[in-house]
Amino acid sequence: MTPALVLAAHGTRSPEGERTLSALADTVRRARPGQRVELSYLEISSPLLAEVLPAVPGPVVVVPLLLAGGYHVHIDLPEVLAEHRPDAVVAGWLGPHRLLTSALARKLARAGLRSTDAVLLGAAGSSDPSALADVRAAAHLLAVRLARPVTAAFASAGTPSLEEAMERLGSTPAARVAVASYVLAPGFFHDRLASVGAGLVSGPLGADPDVAALIWHRYDQALHHHHTTITEPQPARHA
């Protein structure tokens, strides 16, 4: 039986954000017709992951719809799984990855990026240093793709803050600042990115086909790792 894919998003108070994540789930389904795909949330929105997991029969792979590691990946998610579906296989979070870089570059181009723009990668932020490192790695990939510097900046925890980064870039000769939105859907954090006074802010990653392809890539990786772990010969025990 092919394992079902359960998407675990953070959750949002934005109806537009929920619609965007629902559209992303539809894009994921279209990529592999006939495969069961369920969208769930860790908090705020419904259905909650804790409700979806017990309702899905057979094997399950959970892919966190999170762009970086941090509290939700390392604390929230394992707690829900331990209580409701300890047999589930958990995939890695989404970023950084070249498929996200492609989506970001396309969104920036669509928004009207100029060759003279200074670029910020605007992310939610985290109190977890490894999550911030994930975002900085994503900024590096985008810098390579765009062949210009890209500064990672954070809307909540993390340095530099959006305001600090804007101030710094404002003192350079760049004509204007372009913000690449490193968020999946509209909502609180995208509103923050849109309000910093940049010359251009790209749309959220949303239901992009590259994001959908990355979700299936994480699903396949998790299954492959799981099967490899199960089939590896166990070391002989010595009396």
Side-chain angles (χ1 to χ4, degrees):
M1 189 176 179
T2 307
L5 165 58
V6 175
L7 304 169
H10 176 267
T12 174
R13 290 186 173 83
S14 161
E16 193 188 348
E18 289 184 346
R19 282 194 294 274
T20 300
L21 290 165
S22 191
L24 173 58
D26 286 341
T27 305
V28 170
R29 285 186 192 100
R30 279 196 298 275
R32 293 193 186 178
Q35 187 138 358
R36 183 166 184 166
V37 176
E38 299 286 346
L39 174 62
S40 68
Y41 296 92
L42 289 165
E43 58 183 30
I44 304 167
S45 304
S46 65
L48 290 170
L49 178 63
E51 297 160 355
V52 169
L53 285 174
V56 179
V60 164
V61 175
V62 177
V63 176
L65 292 190
L66 301 166
L67 296 171
Y71 177 83
H72 295 292
V73 167
H74 302 304
I75 309 293
D76 268 4
L77 191 55
E79 281 181 359
V80 175
L81 291 166
E83 188 176 344
H84 297 280
R85 203 63 199 262
D87 63 313
V89 175
V90 186
W93 55 92
L94 300 181
H97 195 276
R98 58 181 179 76
L99 286 166
L100 292 176
T101 310
S102 297
L104 286 165
R106 195 162 47 248
K107 297 276 180 186
L108 280 170
R110 205 170 286 161
L113 182 70
R114 299 176 192 156
S115 59
T116 51
D117 290 340
V119 180
L120 274 186
L121 183 70
S126 172
S127 55
D128 183 334
S130 66
L132 301 181
D134 285 343
V135 176
R136 292 186 183 112
H140 175 72
L141 288 176
L142 185 59
V144 172
R145 176 68 59 93
L146 299 177
R148 73 182 88 176
V150 174
T151 304
F154 303 95
S156 60
T159 54
S161 69
L162 285 170
E163 291 74 17
E164 287 165 348
M166 284 291 295
E167 206 172 302
R168 208 172 299 162
L169 289 175
S171 63
T172 66
R176 62 175 186 171
V177 176
V179 175
S181 297
Y182 199 48
V183 296
L184 279 175
F188 176 78
F189 289 114
H190 191 258
D191 290 347
R192 288 274 288 111
L193 300 180
S195 68
V196 295
L200 171 161
V201 180
S202 66
L205 290 160
D208 189 278
D210 280 339
V211 178
L214 176 56
I215 288 166
W216 283 118
H217 175 63
R218 294 294 186 225
Y219 170 97
D220 293 338
Q221 271 184 323
L223 272 186
H224 175 74
H225 177 73
H226 180 66
H227 291 148
T228 306
T229 307
I230 289 172
T231 55
E232 272 176 0
Q234 296 303 307
R237 288 177 177 274
H238 295 288

